[in-house]
Amino acid sequence: METANRILYIPGKNPKPPPPEHRRRLLRVLLRGVEQADPAVARDIERRAEAFSVIAWNPLYYQSYKSPDTDLPWIDALLQRTGPSETDLQEAQSFRRRIAWLLYTAADLFQFLIPLVPDPVVKNTIQETARYFGNQGGIGEQVRELLKAPLRQLFAEGKRILVISHSMGSVIAYDSLWDLTHIEKNPECVDLFLTIGSPLGMRFTQQRLRGAREKGTERYPHDIRRWINIASQGDLTALDPTLRDDFKAMVNLGLIESITDINENVFNYFRNEQGLNVHRSYGYLVNPRMGRVIADWWTGRMQ
């Protein structure tokens, strides 16, 4: 029997493997995270292949793919582990990361400091999001349409929808939901909006979101029932790991039932040849804290 549940996953930035292979890897890791929380739910999701879809916006945005072989051995190694090592914990909470957090927080508050940020990865992220926010060549609209099209169909079919979005994908998802509310007047709701490693807490991002110049109910999407945000320790993309305070007006205005932040003792222990990467999507998806959220949503235990 087909389930009414649908999971849409929106990746973060950078080129990805070809979509079918990327989907297989994401689902494989997600199932491992859910299995640690509820093995029966993991088996049920695995049996219902139609329930999990990836919104492959990256090939359109970058006009390229990542080599399929790049991450595979590191994903295999990740799946053989049951949690972070002592070294992972120390590195995620290191003095170096805390100093970097202070530097990036200052640059977010006083954006004239951004050119002085030494990390080329951070500068590259800002340049890429500027292209999206500026809708250069219509790219912002095109990327959002890749999510809005399946959402329209699932809303029409009466499906129960979980949107999982990682990093820049959370910005695309938020903006798409705003469009559906205010441009298309969509009356339906995503049951759960799950953001991971999200930059939505940053002032730089918030000032550029769809609706940022509006007031009151016009400022926010109305088509999210519940929102859960997960941020791992040391993830500098999730510079501000708490979103409830930034978007509390959505709750106060009655636009959403709840916004919940999960960031205490959340560790992303994905490693590759460059070392620990506390921001990678695979490390978020394999985490049993996230697996519990997905399992509770899938079964309807989340109230």
Side-chain angles (χ1 to χ4, degrees):
M1 181 178 178
E2 183 182 352
T3 180
N5 293 342
R6 290 293 185 274
I7 301 173
L8 298 181
Y9 179 85
I10 302 91
K13 71 180 187 71
N14 294 329
K16 307 299 182 187
E21 177 61 25
H22 190 212
R23 178 190 175 278
R24 280 193 293 271
R25 295 181 186 190
L26 290 166
L27 181 58
R28 182 184 172 203
V29 178
L30 179 147
L31 289 172
R32 176 63 179 139
V34 175
E35 180 184 45
Q36 295 182 78
D38 192 322
V41 172
R43 291 192 296 269
D44 195 31
I45 295 175
E46 188 172 19
R47 282 195 299 266
R48 303 174 190 274
E50 79 287 349
F52 180 77
S53 301
V54 176
I55 307 302
W57 64 272
N58 309 76
L60 171 65
Y61 197 82
Y62 296 100
Q63 296 294 303
S64 65
Y65 295 107
K66 185 175 185 177
S67 170
D69 299 328
T70 304
D71 286 327
L72 191 55
W74 304 107
I75 294 171
D76 290 340
L78 177 71
L79 294 175
Q80 291 173 10
R81 302 175 63 186
T82 57
S85 67
E86 188 61 35
T87 301
D88 296 333
L89 298 178
Q90 292 174 359
E91 189 171 340
Q93 301 174 98
S94 67
F95 180 72
R96 177 180 61 84
R97 285 187 185 272
R98 280 179 278 176
I99 291 297
W101 181 86
L102 289 172
L103 174 62
Y104 299 152
T105 298
D108 187 45
L109 290 173
F110 307 102
Q111 293 176 21
F112 64 88
L113 296 175
I114 288 176
L116 302 179
V117 171
D119 191 333
V121 175
V122 173
K123 289 184 178 180
N124 179 257
T125 298
I126 292 169
Q127 291 170 353
E128 290 184 6
T129 55
R131 179 186 170 208
Y132 165 78
F133 286 128
N135 195 31
Q136 297 173 21
I139 192 63
E141 295 174 358
Q142 295 172 53
V143 163
R144 290 194 294 275
E145 181 60 25
L146 294 177
L147 174 58
K148 290 190 289 185
L151 280 175
R152 290 188 201 103
Q153 180 178 346
L154 294 176
F155 284 143
E157 295 172 355
K159 301 299 185 184
R160 185 168 171 265
I161 305 168
L162 164 59
V163 170
I164 303 174
S165 54
H166 175 243
S167 192
M168 185 176 166
S170 67
V171 176
I172 294 168
Y174 179 97
D175 279 354
S176 298
L177 292 166
W178 189 93
D179 281 355
L180 287 169
T181 293
H182 297 286
I183 306 301
E184 303 189 24
K185 309 302 181 184
N186 161 62
E188 306 298 330
C189 272
V190 165
D191 193 62
L192 177 61
F193 184 37
L194 176 54
T195 51
I196 55 178
S198 173
L200 284 170
M202 295 176 64
R203 180 174 296 187
F204 176 89
T205 303
Q206 292 171 9
Q207 292 173 345
R208 291 161 175 80
L209 291 173
R210 302 284 285 165
R213 298 180 181 178
E214 306 296 335
K215 302 295 183 181
T217 60
E218 295 298 306
R219 186 180 180 94
Y220 305 103
H222 303 182
D223 45 6
I224 304 170
R225 182 182 171 204
R226 292 168 296 195
W227 183 351
I228 293 178
N229 177 62
I230 301 178
S232 72
Q233 296 292 305
D235 186 347
L236 295 176
T237 299
L239 191 65
D240 179 352
T242 58
L243 299 187
R244 179 178 168 81
D245 54 348
D246 297 295
F247 295 90
K248 63 182 178 182
M250 293 177 68
V251 178
N252 296 339
L253 291 167
L255 305 179
I256 191 170
E257 290 183 11
S258 62
I259 302 175
T260 304
D261 291 298
I262 300 174
N263 51 64
E264 188 174 353
N265 294 321
V266 175
F267 294 96
N268 184 332
Y269 47 92
F270 179 87
R271 282 186 175 272
N272 58 15
E273 70 280 358
Q274 297 174 334
L276 182 69
N277 188 328
V278 298
H279 181 63
R280 286 299 295 273
S281 59
Y282 301 121
Y284 271 106
L285 291 170
V286 80
N287 192 293
R289 298 280 294 280
M290 181 167 173
R292 171 53 61 190
V293 170
I294 295 172
D296 286 349
W297 174 81
W298 184 270
T299 59
R301 290 191 295 258
M302 182 181 294
Q303 299 298 331

